Amino acid sequence: MYDNSLTYRTFTVVNSAVLGFLGLLSLLPIVHTLAISFSSRAPAEAHLVGLLPVGFTVDAYVETFKNELFARAFALGVLRTIVGTAVSLAVIIPLAYALSKDNQSFKGRNIYAWFFLFAMLFTGGLIPTYVIVVNLKLINTIWALVLPVAVNVWNAILLMNFFRTSIPKALEEAALIDGANHFTILLKVYLPLSTPAIATIALFTMVTHWNSWFDGLIYMTDPSNYPLATFLQKLLVQQDLRFLRRPEDVANLTNRTVKAAQIFIAMIPVLLVYPYLQKYFVKGIVLGAVKE
Amino acid sequence: MGLIFRRDVAAQPKPPIAVRVRSRWSPGRNWVLHVMVLPALILTVLFSYFPMMGIIMAFQEFKPWLGFGNSPWVGLTHFETLLAFPETRQVIVNTLVISILKIIFNILVPLVFALLLNEVRFGLFKRAVQTVTYLPHFLSWVMLGAILTDMLSIDGIINSTLVSLFGIEPIFFLGKSDWFLGTIVASDVWKNYGFSTIIYLAALTGIDATLYEASAIDGASRWQQTIYISIPSILPILIVVATLSLASILNGGFDQIYNLYNPLVYDVGDIIDTYVYRIGLLSGRYSFAAAVGLFKSVVGFVLIFISYRLAYKYAGYRVF
């Protein structure tokens, strides 16, 4: 079935070259950042570093980790990721289970479904949400970063569809006859059979939390409460250094190699879970988007 | 209604045993299901429905110390300002220009990329290219903003490469309005094209191989197969992607813009979301910002509705 003409073979060569180039282009910013972070200060400041370190040293990483502001922001980033993912899963899994029933066996199911669907499609917008979070006294607490984003309706729908299509109805009916209630069925029947789906959702939620910066910026008025993404946004993107307060921190955290080291450290958790993400997301996306 | 929940439509007659189970067990046990919905219900009321009610502040002159109850009512004043004010009109135009350009390129580039990738026979190379091109999708705009600002600066690696290769003047990518738009669209496509390819690749893999075999026997070249088999086969999914992206036409991409723009390029780069944040939370004009936000939410909601209807009508696509 394959075309063996000279034109097609020429195309194959050109095509491979183009795709290889695009692949490299995707990695370029990461490699460049990595190279700067491992370079000596002088060549980095003079913009002499390309894709390989000049004057290899790990000083930038040592300095970054020694800085207590960075360490604190890093810890808060980890904390919000763990708490945020745990809370989100704890809310979404039972929701998806209940909504996976049909309207006959769970009266009110369709009303609930429309209730959540509408919340997904129509939002009050940034300002009213902000005012509500202020009025609930969540400002400067971790809950401002966890609770407003906990009910991710997309993930709930994804999981609901998985429950419906992949878990044999007979198992549930057998458990019901044996006297199990829905909690037991969810824990003992559904969860063990849905580890891949739940792992996918957990990983996506983790990456979203780790990368979230805007909620930290608006809900944390005290900079010592910034999670890492917000800390870096303020320091590296806005370059608003007033929040650092101590002059030595400004000096330590703003040289080019340390900046690069901070960016790379912030990417590491994403790079670590990426292979697992990749294993699952193809399936997950196709599951959610294309139905026969 | 297009948004019908699938399982209910396809409800099959249950065997007698299931009927008995339902009548004997379900009514008494349904409270468990209600309890399971409860936590999500409470959070959604708090963080989605309360803010929706908070929209009344768009019709008030909201003062935080007076609250929703005591702030004075001003009717449609903020909406009149919104439509009469050149600044807000410019912001709406910017949003439309940026998002329309992004929609076009975010559909075309992944499509071409998927077709090219589909021609690769060497599996390892194909997977390697996929792995690295998907990656930027998962990196946040904060990190990429910091990196790109540095790389695209006057003395950054991109300008120094261009200068040494072509001997041109350094380009101020993020500081000149005429370059900013292109830079925004290009970097957004760069970040997402790999990931957007997945859906087309899945569709391409699903094409019946006998179509290609039959056409090869008839003497079709690979190019003809692409034009007459591959592209028509993935057209339905292309229509779905295109119509659904209509829903995001007022977004423009807050995370990206906010991490790449600066006052020099507000004339082309300021979008509704960045504008709402700046005038609302930074300048304290809560009600006017809420009115702009409400305008966006309502138009967005209508667009989502229309686009889902279109996707259902022309491609038989159902979300739920």
Side-chain angles (χ1 to χ4, degrees), chain B residues 47 59 134 210:
Chain B
F47 298 107
F59 306 95
Y134 294 172
T210 53

Side-chain angles (χ1 to χ4, degrees), chain A residues 11-21, chain B residues 120 125 129:
Chain A
F11 162 77
T12 309
V13 174
V14 176
N15 188 28
S16 306
V18 169
L19 293 177
F21 174 75
Chain B
V120 176
F125 177 69
V129 171

Side-chain angles (χ1 to χ4, degrees), chain A residues 67-165:
Chain A
N67 188 287
E68 47 194 85
L69 289 178
F70 181 86
R72 189 184 159 80
F74 188 90
L76 284 171
V78 172
L79 183 71
R80 80 162 285 181
T81 304
I82 294 172
V83 177
T85 308
V87 170
S88 186
L89 287 181
V91 173
I92 280 179
I93 293 172
L95 174 69
Y97 175 82
L99 293 184
S100 74
K101 307 290 157 240
D102 53 42
N103 204 35
Q104 286 165 307
S105 52
F106 178 29
K107 285 268 177 310
R109 181 262 175 208
N110 281 359
I111 297 171
Y112 283 130
W114 279 105
F115 173 88
F116 289 106
L117 197 62
F118 186 72
M120 181 176 80
L121 300 180
F122 189 80
T123 65
L126 170 69
I127 308 294
T129 311
Y130 174 79
V131 172
I132 297 292
V133 172
V134 171
N135 282 333
L136 291 170
K137 306 262 185 292
L138 296 179
I139 295 295
N140 279 321
T141 70
I142 191 173
W143 303 112
L145 310 178
V146 168
L147 297 180
V149 292
V151 189
N152 184 320
V153 182
W154 266 121
N155 285 345
I157 292 172
L158 212 71
L159 198 55
M160 178 188 87
N161 282 336
F162 182 85
F163 284 161
R164 287 184 155 189
T165 50

